[in-house]
Amino acid sequence: MTHLWPAPFSATPITHTQVVPGSKSLTNRAYVLAALAQGPSTIAGALRSRDTDLMRRALESMGVSFTDRGGVLEVTPGELRGADVDCGLAGTVMRFVPAVAAFASGNVRFDGDPRARQRPIATILQALRDLGVDVEGGSMPFTVHGTGSAAGGEVDIDASGSSQFVSGLLLAAARFRDGVSITHTGATLPSMPHIEMTLDMLAAAGVEVEATGHTWRVAPQPIGGRDWVIEPDLSNATPFLAAAAVTGGAVTVANWPARTTQPGDVIRGILERMGCAVSLGEAGQRHDLTVTGPERGGLRGIELDMGDIGELAPTVAALATAAATPSELTGIAHLRGHETDRLRALTDEINALGGRCEELDDGLRIHPSRMHGGVWHSYDDHRMATAGAIIGLTVEGVDVENIATTAKTLPGFETMWAQMVGA
């Protein structure tokens, strides 16, 4: 039975302060680095969500110990062993853990949700083969026949489908016997900020990476255990900031980092270009970020290459439906391989509610249009679900199908949203 969630409508400007849990991307990278480290690590502020729980269970099943000490995780690496890994629909699990499995003594079998079998994965599996790892299969399900070590060497990959192919190799590269040299050969490289995030965290773990253009070289070296502190998830914060933009209100997100590699930070400039006022208070390493929207109906459209920030596309597309002028979002052809084909899904759902969205080869063109209520399908995609919630703020009668899918990265989203709107 399909569950429909009546998206709260707000006839008045929203004023609210929101605390956002930790970053999924930072949490899962910290988990992998802690699992491969020479000594123990601690992780404070780790996100608890479906994606991060799947990563933790995958590593635990392979012999890594996680102990919760009052909200701080102690992670102790162990001798990696064979296991069955459930990837769910988590791109980080299906693309980061196979390289870890190369150092297990035994077979590590990977499977996941039905949609996971359609997500791009062959690139990283072939790359591991080229680095001397025995991999059976070219899509989900597949098996890594771990032998406790792997040779490494040079590998060329086309990471046009996902930057996670590069990050997945980089995170484990220092453990390969001969190190790893990765060269991206494709015409485009989406989500470069996520690769920068990986490089930043590797440096924090004491791993030196030589980067030249789209080539990364990592010599064999120890990965250090360390104390990680996870920032709030800025991409998960963007729907709340969008609420201020579309209702003419003011929303504050607490503890916004002063310096970050998270792509979600770019939302500040996007909202300013669309007519919002954005202020970042002074508070040391972390600030309170406040977005104040223009008078209702005064939001401006935007032309934007989102190649580096594709995960923000559903939020920006939802904003665009409330703008007074057209928007064009490009550089995001790779979103067709995400939790769903986000370009097709956004087009279909916006148009079904009376909007005017045109699907382009690499993006979306959205024109102002008076929208109406109806069912907004989520496609088991957390960011599609939150996009529907944003639209529901200014369009009465929007019912979001399977809002619970937001638990992939933000458990309790619907409760936070209702509290914000005062519903």
Side-chain angles (χ1 to χ4, degrees), residues 18-56:
Q18 183 65 49
V19 175
V20 178
S23 162
K24 176 208 73 173
S25 298
L26 291 170
T27 297
N28 276 354
R29 283 166 173 78
Y31 282 178
V32 171
L33 289 171
L36 293 171
Q38 282 199 328
S41 298
T42 66
I43 305 175
L47 174 68
R48 287 299 308 272
S49 72
R50 187 183 186 218
D51 276 18
T52 58
D53 287 350
L54 286 166
M55 179 67 83
R56 175 174 168 173

Side-chain angles (χ1 to χ4, degrees), residues 35-370:
L36 293 171
Q38 282 199 328
S41 298
T42 66
I43 305 175
L47 174 68
R48 287 299 308 272
S49 72
R50 187 183 186 218
D51 276 18
T52 58
D53 287 350
L54 286 166
M55 179 67 83
R56 175 174 168 173
R57 286 199 292 269
L59 297 171
E60 283 179 325
S61 70
M62 294 168 63
V64 181
S65 172
F66 287 76
T67 305
D68 192 332
R69 305 284 188 195
V72 176
L73 287 175
E74 294 180 359
V75 185
T76 306
E79 292 294 324
L80 298 176
R81 58 177 181 257
D84 290 329
V85 171
D86 176 11
C87 299
L89 197 49
T92 50
V93 179
M94 67 181 70
R95 294 169 184 151
F96 291 0
V97 180
V100 178
F103 304 100
S105 296
N107 299 330
V108 183
R109 292 169 289 272
F110 293 79
D111 206 350
D113 294 357
R115 169 62 184 169
R117 299 184 177 198
Q118 301 170 22
R119 297 192 70 180
I121 188 66
T123 298
I124 192 134
L125 301 184
Q126 185 56 51
L128 289 172
R129 291 189 189 95
D130 293 342
L131 295 172
V133 181
D134 184 1
V135 181
E136 179 184 346
S139 61
M140 196 85 69
F142 62 88
T143 300
V144 175
H145 299 288
T147 59
S149 65
E154 297 184 0
V155 63
D156 292 342
I157 66 170
D158 181 354
S160 302
S162 174
S163 67
Q164 290 175 351
F165 297 143
V166 174
S167 288
L169 295 175
L170 283 172
L171 288 168
R175 287 284 299 266
F176 284 80
R177 192 164 58 249
D178 300 325
V180 174
S181 177
I182 307 159
T183 298
H184 165 62
T185 59
T188 61
L189 184 56
S191 303
M192 189 63 191
H194 278 117
I195 295 177
E196 296 294 342
M197 177 188 291
T198 299
L199 295 172
D200 189 68
M201 294 184 72
L202 283 166
V207 177
E208 295 184 4
V209 181
E210 179 187 342
T212 307
H214 285 170
T215 296
W216 300 269
R217 296 179 179 85
V218 183
Q221 58 194 290
I223 299 172
R226 60 154 291 163
D227 298 327
W228 298 100
V229 178
I230 305 300
E231 301 168 1
D233 193 309
L234 305 189
S235 293
N236 280 342
T238 63
F240 298 95
L241 299 175
V246 300
T247 67
V251 171
T252 297
V253 171
N255 300 318
W256 200 275
R259 174 193 171 274
T260 184
T261 54
Q262 290 190 65
D265 190 47
V266 179
I267 195 66
R268 295 189 288 139
I270 294 172
L271 289 170
E272 284 183 325
R273 287 179 58 187
M274 297 185 79
C276 299
V278 179
S279 64
L280 198 58
E282 294 297 329
Q285 292 299 307
R286 296 190 179 185
H287 314 294
D288 287 346
L289 177 73
T290 299
V291 169
T292 304
E295 186 175 339
R296 203 169 185 126
L299 203 63
R300 297 192 294 265
I302 190 169
E303 292 187 6
L304 189 62
D305 182 336
M306 302 192 73
D308 280 342
I309 51 172
E311 67 189 57
L312 303 187
T315 291
V316 178
L319 284 165
T321 67
T325 56
S327 296
E328 190 165 301
L329 315 178
T330 57
I332 46 177
H334 62 285
L335 295 191
R336 300 186 191 284
H338 276 231
E339 282 82 346
T340 188
D341 178 343
R342 285 182 176 164
L343 300 186
R344 173 61 58 84
L346 285 165
T347 300
D348 288 349
E349 297 311 304
I350 290 171
N351 290 342
L353 299 187
R356 292 177 58 203
C357 182
E358 178 184 353
E359 184 179 348
L360 309 176
D361 288 342
D362 71 336
L364 303 170
R365 185 180 295 121
I366 300 171
H367 296 271
S369 181
R370 187 174 183 85

